[in-house]
Amino acid sequence: MPLMKSWVESANAPDCPFPLNNLPYGVFSAEGSEPRCGVAIGEMILDVTLLEEDGVIAPGESPVFDVPFWNDFMELGPEAWAEFRDTLIAMLGADAAPAARAAAEKALVPAAAAEMHMPFVVSEYTDFYAGRNHAFNVGTMFRGPENALPPNWLHIPIGYNGRASSVVVSGTAFHRPWGQIKAPDEGAPRFAPCKRFDIELEMGAIVGQPSRGPITVAEADAAIFGYVLLNDWSARDIQAWEYQPLGPFQSKATATTISPWIVTKAALEPFRTATPAREKELLPYLDEPGPMLYDIELEVTLRPEGGEETTITRTNYKEMYYSAAQQLAHHTTSGCPMNVGDLLGSGTISGPTKGSRGSLLELSWGGKEPVELTGGGTRSFIEDDDTLTLKGAARGDGYTIGFGDCVGKVLPALDDPYKR
Amino acid sequence: MPLMKSWVESANAPDCPFPLNNLPYGVFSAEGSEPRCGVAIGEMILDVTLLEEDGVIAPGESPVFDVPFWNDFMELGPEAWAEFRDTLIAMLGADAAPAARAAAEKALVPAAAAEMHMPFVVSEYTDFYAGRNHAFNVGTMFRGPENALPPNWLHIPIGYNGRASSVVVSGTAFHRPWGQIKAPDEGAPRFAPCKRFDIELEMGAIVGQPSRGPITVAEADAAIFGYVLLNDWSARDIQAWEYQPLGPFQSKATATTISPWIVTKAALEPFRTATPAREKELLPYLDEPGPMLYDIELEVTLRPEGGEETTITRTNYKEMYYSAAQQLAHHTTSGCPMNVGDLLGSGTISGPTKGSRGSLLELSWGGKEPVELTGGGTRSFIEDDDTLTLKGAARGDGYTIGFGDCVGKVLPALDDPYKR
């Protein structure tokens, strides 16, 4: 599919992340307004809350944009999602009817003047461990290459429940966490600030339709509303001491940053690609009826306070072994009720080469091979006031689909919270 | 504290679970009404939604009982909780003023005619592993008695995030789950109905006040609104295959049953008791400023379809090694945001003797020593159409504090959900 042209000229540049082909959904405020629903187009945001108020659009029988999140819209279901996208394309396309264009022009706000907010209410958050290279790298560090993959790994998209309250929108700074830590050579644990704070480069899939029993991979794919970039910040020293036998807990609960724009499944359709060849045959309930991954280029940059930005890794979402649709299908096998707004983290996306690993734990091989920074200095793990940025782009024929940067700055730990 | 007398005569019987000393909070419907907030007193339920509508009570500046859950009331905070309890005691006490009594009389509904609903909206659900005997029993079965307790167990109240959408109110029947299962002697996993379906006898603590950074055990205790009985249904065969390395997932996601009535911290105050002696000194952030457990007698019964009820275990909440306040304090160490309606499962409560174990896995020692049933037959794990009931009681001086039974019936597995 080629670039679809818009009368919003900035949307037609080949490297613009928000062409008419994209139309991602977010929540913004501008000039002191309350947060409201918007659609990115070029360098502008279309205020759909205003358009709904004015009766120009009406995706549902009752208002869905009178709240600062996209959950009510998601509840309308796939047919309404497709219809609304068609409406937007008709309004913003180069050959828009004059009346539609005039209405849209009144609802455009410059993105540069807007502050972005959480685009949806996270109902529950599940994080997976579905990247083959990541699982192999981490397993090798802890158990050696022969026993790197757990015995269930090639059969189950392994996941665990995360903490929905930890999810924040890009741009949210937070403090380095404290926690209970015991190094292998220490006799007893200490309560101390995390020293091995890390990123995990992931994609997040957003569940847009509920289910109440087991669903197939095809049904799961149909229930997914869209995708965001996701940084699953991880406190490795806290994780190492706490995670046996029931999994990560406080090591993953400080923050989980997502990009500000939900890129819809419709926008990503031209970029579908198959999961890699299966190393072991999967049980039939995980069969994919078609390509379920997406070709999305990903990178992470690190910028020290006042310093230069270094790209520390470049990889691609198609490196995953399991797709989000497979993960969601597996999630429902027990009868687990899934709800609109559930967020599924893909798991860390590492490529096969050293420069394509999705965490500092892997990039610095547990701290043994620190990463060189462009402006001088090295990093094994995140230092105070470092800014980490995830970027994603699907490259089409003369256009780019972007997500908006997924940015987080790690402030120094606060004083001991229990010294009062 | 002795029995506080009520003019609702049924509340004054020594074995009545709902005397004036208790006043637990639930959500009920009767005679076709929409679900509404109520308080149990003797054999009656006081309809506080009606009383608020009529202006008889006004716990908040705006209505809090116009919704069928107690979350809005919880948000008012501890002072409002105490004031409202005083108001109820004044209305329902034997020496109530005639006008107050007359107003209450008009709002009483027989409990026998009521259907109970979820008493609150579960924001997020965390399950702990904080019972010393349970952890030792399970560890012994899997790793032998020398390595039974993981190295972190005596330092951390180990917990993992559960699935809030799985939480249902007592009386909700559900089907035996399907899942991915591989026995140690099998070469590959199968997708099959769970054969080792189990209970976990727990208490649930409900977070009634939010926090946004690390809090002390005293602050955590102050933030807890009340307690329920909780059955953390567990699919042992699914769990055994899936849980390494990131913890239980689908094995715990089918259902989590809670008792219908939230027993407030105020009602349980006379039953406070200390956690057992520490086997290893805890880090100061887990220090308890006073007794944080409660003396609550617990039991579980099993009734086969059409058969007799057998009490399969008798234990006490005071068997826990960590209190809910310690668990909540630990939960906040990373800065994890906690919200009103968060539910914390205590972990399985097993006593030191064979007849006081809190799961069938322990009671039947992994199936090797099946439990004898009163009416004949045995159980290693739950069979189709078995009804499992958790009961709890704190015994005061001439009165009893009850929670209402926590009941669940396990229906046969549905046909293969992927054969269509």
Side-chain angles (χ1 to χ4, degrees):
Chain A
M1 177 181 288
L3 171 73
M4 294 159 66
K5 289 233 169 172
S6 171
W7 52 261
V8 180
E9 279 303 330
S10 57
N12 299 329
D15 57 349
C16 171
F18 305 126
L20 190 62
N21 305 57
N22 193 350
L23 300 176
Y25 302 148
V27 170
F28 73 102
S29 56
E31 293 166 8
S33 78
E34 291 292 301
R36 44 211 298 119
C37 293
V39 179
I41 179 75
E43 294 170 0
M44 309 297 281
I45 298 173
L46 184 70
D47 183 341
V48 294
T49 295
L50 179 64
L51 289 178
E52 191 185 57
E53 275 167 13
D54 289 351
V56 178
I57 56 170
E61 284 178 24
S62 51
V64 293
F65 297 133
D66 57 343
V67 287
F69 42 79
W70 282 77
N71 300 59
D72 288 6
F73 176 77
M74 289 191 235
E75 292 202 359
L76 299 177
E79 273 186 47
W81 305 346
E83 250 177 61
F84 183 64
R85 183 173 168 85
D86 289 345
T87 301
L88 290 173
I89 289 172
M91 286 185 89
L92 296 169
D95 53 357
R101 174 171 172 165
E105 273 175 339
K106 282 196 284 189
L108 283 180
V109 178
E115 183 187 352
M116 300 305 296
H117 304 271
M118 275 292 294
F120 68 106
V121 177
V122 181
S123 182
E124 298 195 58
Y125 166 48
T126 308
D127 192 37
F128 285 86
Y129 184 62
R132 175 75 164 87
N133 297 307
H134 172 72
F136 183 79
N137 288 340
V138 172
T140 300
M141 271 185 263
F142 289 113
R143 293 179 295 271
E146 297 78 17
N147 303 306
L149 284 191
N152 51 12
W153 201 93
L154 292 170
H155 301 281
I156 299 180
I158 294 178
Y160 65 99
N161 299 298
R163 182 78 194 173
S165 68
S166 76
V167 183
V168 295
V169 73
S170 176
T172 308
F174 57 89
H175 293 275
R176 176 183 298 276
W178 287 73
Q180 198 177 127
I181 295 167
K182 190 183 94 60
D185 59 348
E186 291 176 316
R190 300 166 289 118
F191 189 73
C194 169
K195 290 274 184 253
R196 293 163 71 94
F197 201 63
D198 200 359
I199 54 159
E200 290 197 342
L201 167 58
E202 304 194 17
M203 297 287 302
I206 300 160
V207 177
Q209 286 286 278
S211 57
R212 287 292 173 272
I215 63 175
T216 64
V217 175
E219 289 163 344
D221 183 59
I224 292 172
F225 180 66
Y227 290 83
V228 288
L229 307 176
L230 186 149
N231 187 348
D232 177 33
W233 304 94
S234 299
R236 300 295 180 198
D237 38 10
I238 297 171
Q239 187 177 357
W241 172 234
E242 78 172 359
Y243 93 105
Q244 286 286 14
L246 298 183
F249 183 48
Q250 288 305 285
S251 54
K252 302 276 195 169
T254 303
T256 306
T257 305
I258 62 169
S259 55
W261 295 105
I262 303 172
V263 175
T264 63
K265 210 170 41 187
L268 292 171
E269 209 55 41
F271 307 97
R272 275 192 189 262
T273 182
T275 44
R278 304 291 96 180
E279 297 173 44
K280 289 202 178 169
E281 194 181 354
L282 291 175
L283 286 167
Y285 80 91
L286 290 170
D287 280 351
E288 290 172 301
M292 292 283 155
L293 281 181
Y294 299 93
D295 181 353
I296 300 170
E297 297 171 12
L298 300 166
E299 61 176 68
V300 181
T301 68
L302 186 154
R303 189 170 60 74
E305 182 74 355
E308 277 180 60
E309 198 172 40
T310 301
T311 298
I312 57 173
T313 190
R314 282 193 177 83
T315 182
N316 194 300
Y317 181 46
K318 68 184 177 189
E319 296 289 350
M320 298 310 293
Y321 191 80
Y322 294 102
S323 63
Q326 285 176 315
Q327 292 171 337
L328 176 53
H330 178 71
H331 209 319
T332 66
T333 48
S334 66
C336 180
M338 302 302 295
N339 292 308
V340 171
D342 283 341
L343 173 64
L344 311 186
S346 60
T348 306
I349 306 164
S350 290
T353 60
K354 180 163 177 175
S356 62
R357 296 172 184 161
S359 66
L360 281 163
L361 177 69
E362 295 164 86
L363 286 163
S364 74
W365 209 252
K368 288 182 193 145
E369 302 167 18
V371 176
E372 305 271 343
L373 300 185
T374 309
T378 61
R379 284 293 182 279
S380 289
F381 292 97
I382 297 168
E383 297 193 2
D384 286 347
D385 298 313
D386 282 354
T387 297
L388 279 294
T389 302
L390 276 50
K391 303 176 189 193
R395 310 268 176 208
D397 177 11
Y399 71 97
T400 303
I401 300 285
F403 294 77
D405 287 354
C406 178
V407 186
K409 180 173 174 177
V410 180
L411 306 174
L414 292 168
D415 290 343
D416 184 343
Y418 294 105
K419 280 250 168 67
R420 295 183 188 177
Chain B
M1 180 182 285
L3 172 72
M4 294 158 66
K5 290 233 169 172
S6 170
W7 53 261
V8 180
E9 278 303 329
S10 57
N12 300 327
D15 57 349
C16 171
F18 305 126
L20 190 61
N21 305 57
N22 193 350
L23 300 175
Y25 302 147
V27 169
F28 74 102
S29 56
E31 292 166 8
S33 78
E34 292 292 301
R36 45 213 294 120
C37 294
V39 179
I41 178 75
E43 294 170 0
M44 309 297 281
I45 298 173
L46 184 70
D47 182 341
V48 293
T49 296
L50 179 65
L51 290 177
E52 190 185 56
E53 275 167 12
D54 289 352
V56 178
I57 56 170
E61 284 178 25
S62 51
V64 293
F65 297 133
D66 57 342
V67 286
F69 42 79
W70 283 77
N71 299 59
D72 289 5
F73 176 78
M74 288 192 237
E75 290 201 1
L76 300 177
E79 273 184 48
W81 305 345
E83 249 176 60
F84 183 64
R85 184 173 168 86
D86 289 345
T87 302
L88 291 174
I89 290 172
M91 286 185 88
L92 296 169
D95 53 359
R101 174 171 172 166
E105 273 175 340
K106 281 195 284 186
L108 285 179
V109 178
E115 183 188 352
M116 300 305 297
H117 304 271
M118 275 291 294
F120 68 107
V121 176
V122 181
S123 181
E124 298 194 59
Y125 166 48
T126 309
D127 192 37
F128 286 86
Y129 184 62
R132 175 75 165 88
N133 297 307
H134 171 71
F136 184 80
N137 288 339
V138 172
T140 301
M141 270 184 264
F142 289 113
R143 294 180 295 272
E146 298 77 18
N147 303 307
L149 282 191
N152 52 11
W153 201 93
L154 293 170
H155 301 281
I156 298 180
I158 294 177
Y160 65 100
N161 298 298
R163 183 78 194 173
S165 68
S166 76
V167 182
V168 295
V169 73
S170 175
T172 308
F174 57 89
H175 292 275
R176 175 183 300 275
W178 286 73
Q180 198 177 126
I181 296 167
K182 189 182 95 59
D185 60 347
E186 290 176 317
R190 299 167 289 119
F191 189 72
C194 168
K195 289 274 184 254
R196 293 162 72 95
F197 201 63
D198 199 359
I199 54 160
E200 290 198 341
L201 167 58
E202 304 194 15
M203 296 287 302
I206 299 161
V207 176
Q209 286 286 280
S211 57
R212 286 292 173 271
I215 62 175
T216 64
V217 174
E219 289 164 344
D221 184 59
I224 292 172
F225 180 67
Y227 291 82
V228 289
L229 307 176
L230 186 150
N231 187 348
D232 177 33
W233 303 94
S234 299
R236 300 296 179 197
D237 37 10
I238 297 171
Q239 186 177 357
W241 172 234
E242 77 171 358
Y243 93 106
Q244 286 287 11
L246 298 183
F249 183 48
Q250 288 306 286
S251 53
K252 302 275 193 169
T254 304
T256 306
T257 305
I258 62 170
S259 55
W261 295 104
I262 304 172
V263 175
T264 63
K265 210 169 41 187
L268 292 171
E269 210 53 44
F271 306 97
R272 277 193 187 261
T273 181
T275 44
R278 302 292 95 178
E279 296 173 45
K280 289 200 179 172
E281 196 181 351
L282 290 175
L283 285 167
Y285 80 90
L286 290 170
D287 280 350
E288 291 171 301
M292 292 281 156
L293 281 180
Y294 299 93
D295 181 354
I296 300 170
E297 297 171 12
L298 300 166
E299 61 176 69
V300 181
T301 67
L302 186 156
R303 190 170 60 74
E305 183 75 355
E308 276 179 61
E309 196 172 43
T310 301
T311 298
I312 58 172
T313 190
R314 284 194 176 82
T315 182
N316 194 299
Y317 181 47
K318 69 184 177 189
E319 295 289 347
M320 299 309 292
Y321 192 79
Y322 294 102
S323 63
Q326 286 177 313
Q327 293 172 335
L328 177 53
H330 178 71
H331 209 318
T332 66
T333 48
S334 67
C336 181
M338 303 301 297
N339 292 308
V340 171
D342 283 341
L343 173 64
L344 310 185
S346 60
T348 307
I349 306 164
S350 290
T353 60
K354 181 165 177 177
S356 62
R357 296 172 185 161
S359 67
L360 280 163
L361 178 68
E362 296 165 84
L363 287 163
S364 75
W365 208 252
K368 288 182 194 146
E369 301 167 18
V371 175
E372 306 269 343
L373 301 185
T374 310
T378 61
R379 283 294 180 279
S380 289
F381 293 98
I382 297 167
E383 297 192 3
D384 286 348
D385 298 314
D386 283 353
T387 297
L388 279 294
T389 302
L390 277 49
K391 304 176 188 192
R395 310 269 176 209
D397 178 11
Y399 72 97
T400 303
I401 299 284
F403 293 78
D405 288 354
C406 177
V407 186
K409 182 174 175 176
V410 180
L411 306 174
L414 292 168
D415 289 344
D416 185 343
Y418 294 105
K419 280 250 170 68
R420 294 181 187 179

